[in-house]
């Protein structure tokens, strides 16, 4: 059982116009086996939350605390956060020329576990996960995300998540750019990882379509760097019908 606890988190970023406060006091707790959907209009701070938790240097935590099973996440380096069990699936996965998918995955697994996985078992696990995600086995020998379509990049993110077995996964708009089939396959991968490992999920999205496949336990509405409202699946359905006008007006 793992718990990610975010307490009164404030985050700023430097812009040409000066320092801009993005997060203005976020309180959120995610435990193993829970799926939390983070929804809200553009510019509300959803992705800032994701990248701040992962340790992106662009974002400065000005106050607040983040703990994973009682350990201070903000005191950790980026790689220490990954080893502790935090995983970030990026909205726009980057290309890594010169590094094959197979080498990348095995190197990452070795770094997280502290020892290299047994080769025969590892190859079997990779092949099985790729089959489940409808990925051509040839992708294992291609450079990371180089020449991949949007959907292929997102499948590769979920492949990493399945194989690295984190405690908490932060999925930043994993549904963006996916067609209907890819959305279903990626969602099945998330559900499979959750069912297998008891993964806790923070799912950042604009739309409810992915929530038809990944059932949220909690829905949080982000507006102006804060959580404006919380609820269950019914809140997401209300947002789909009404949009964010009532939150923006009060903000």
């Amino acid at each position: 059982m793992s718990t990610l606890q975010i307490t009164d988190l404030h985050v700023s970023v430097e812009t040409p116009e000066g320092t801009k406060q993005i997060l203005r006091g976020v309180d959120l707790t995610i435990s193993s086996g829970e799926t939390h959907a983070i929804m809200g209009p553009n510019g509300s701070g959803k992705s800032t939350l994701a990248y701040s938790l992962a340790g992106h240097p662009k974002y400065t935590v000005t106050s607040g605390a983040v703990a994973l099973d009682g350990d201070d996440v903000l005191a950790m380096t980026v790689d220490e956060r990954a080893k502790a069990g935090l995983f970030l699936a990026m909205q726009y996965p980057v290309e890594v020329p010169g590094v094959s998918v197979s080498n990348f995955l095995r190197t990452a697994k070795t770094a997280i576990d502290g020892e290299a996985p047994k080769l025969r078992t590892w190859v079997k696990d990779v092949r099985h996960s790729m089959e489940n995600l409808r990925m051509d086995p040839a992708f294992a020998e291609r450079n990371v995300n180089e020449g991949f379509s949007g959907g292929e990049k997102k499948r590769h993110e979920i492949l990493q998540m399945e194989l690295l077995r984190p405690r908490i996964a932060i999925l930043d708009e994993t549904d963006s750019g996916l067609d209907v089939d890819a959305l279903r396959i990626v969602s099945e991968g998330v559900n499979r990882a959750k069912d297998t490992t008891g993964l806790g999920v923070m799912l950042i999205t604009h739309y409810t379509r992915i929530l038809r496949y990944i059932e949220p336990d909690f829905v949080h509405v982000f507006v102006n760097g804060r959580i404006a409202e919380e609820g269950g699946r019914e809140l997401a359905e209300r947002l789909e019908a009404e949009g964010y006008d009532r939150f923006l007006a009060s903000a």
Side-chain angles (χ1 to χ4, degrees):
M1 186 72 176
S2 292
T3 300
L4 178 69
Q5 187 168 13
I6 304 165
T7 306
D8 196 26
L9 189 66
H10 291 70
V11 174
S12 65
V13 63
E14 294 299 322
T15 71
E17 293 74 33
T19 303
K20 182 179 180 181
Q21 195 76 28
I22 306 294
L23 299 186
R24 305 169 185 272
V26 175
D27 292 289
L28 181 61
T29 300
I30 300 174
S31 297
S32 296
E34 296 178 350
T35 297
H36 293 249
I38 309 294
M39 305 185 72
N42 289 327
S44 58
K46 303 185 302 298
S47 291
T48 294
L49 175 62
Y51 287 97
S52 298
L53 294 174
H56 195 298
K58 175 182 176 182
Y59 303 98
T60 301
V61 175
T62 54
S63 66
V66 180
L68 178 60
D69 296 335
D71 295 326
D72 184 1
V73 171
L74 300 180
M76 300 177 187
T77 61
V78 173
D79 61 311
E80 287 171 342
R81 298 181 196 205
K83 290 177 182 178
L86 282 180
F87 176 86
L88 172 65
M90 295 180 285
Q91 182 180 357
Y92 303 108
V94 297
E95 297 182 1
V96 187
V99 179
S100 71
V101 167
S102 60
N103 285 340
F104 171 78
L105 291 171
R106 194 158 192 262
T107 299
K109 184 67 171 176
T110 300
I112 287 174
D113 290 355
E115 61 180 4
K118 294 181 180 179
L119 191 56
R120 179 177 296 180
T121 303
W122 176 248
V123 170
K124 181 180 178 181
D125 289 345
V126 173
R127 184 181 298 117
H128 181 64
S129 291
M130 293 185 76
E131 287 176 355
N132 285 336
L133 290 165
R134 313 295 195 273
M135 294 181 71
D136 188 330
F139 274 81
E141 301 312 315
R142 291 177 59 177
N143 291 338
V144 174
N145 291 327
E146 196 170 44
F148 287 23
S149 68
E152 289 163 350
K153 289 180 179 179
K154 297 301 177 71
R155 293 185 202 206
H156 180 222
E157 295 279 281
I158 304 306
L159 175 66
Q160 295 172 46
M161 186 184 72
E162 284 201 70
L163 294 171
L164 299 181
R165 300 172 69 89
R167 300 181 192 179
I168 303 291
I170 304 163
L171 310 181
D172 187 18
E173 298 196 31
T174 297
D175 52 342
S176 66
L178 297 183
D179 61 28
V180 173
D181 289 332
L183 177 64
R184 176 179 52 79
I185 291 167
V186 163
S187 298
E188 288 173 352
V190 174
N191 290 331
R192 191 163 50 245
K194 182 181 173 184
D195 292 342
T196 302
T197 67
L199 179 71
V201 177
M202 177 192 293
L203 176 62
I204 297 171
T205 183
H206 282 292
Y207 308 106
T208 58
R209 63 175 192 154
I210 193 170
L211 303 183
R212 299 168 192 160
Y213 300 98
I214 303 175
E215 183 75 27
D217 300 293
F218 306 93
V219 175
H220 311 270
V221 183
F222 254 58
V223 178
N224 197 28
R226 296 186 180 91
I227 295 177
E229 189 171 331
E230 297 175 303
R233 174 62 185 266
E234 73 285 347
L235 178 55
E237 293 171 352
R238 185 178 178 187
L239 292 173
E240 179 79 0
E242 300 177 1
Y244 299 104
D245 285 349
R246 64 190 177 95
F247 297 104
L248 295 173
S250 61

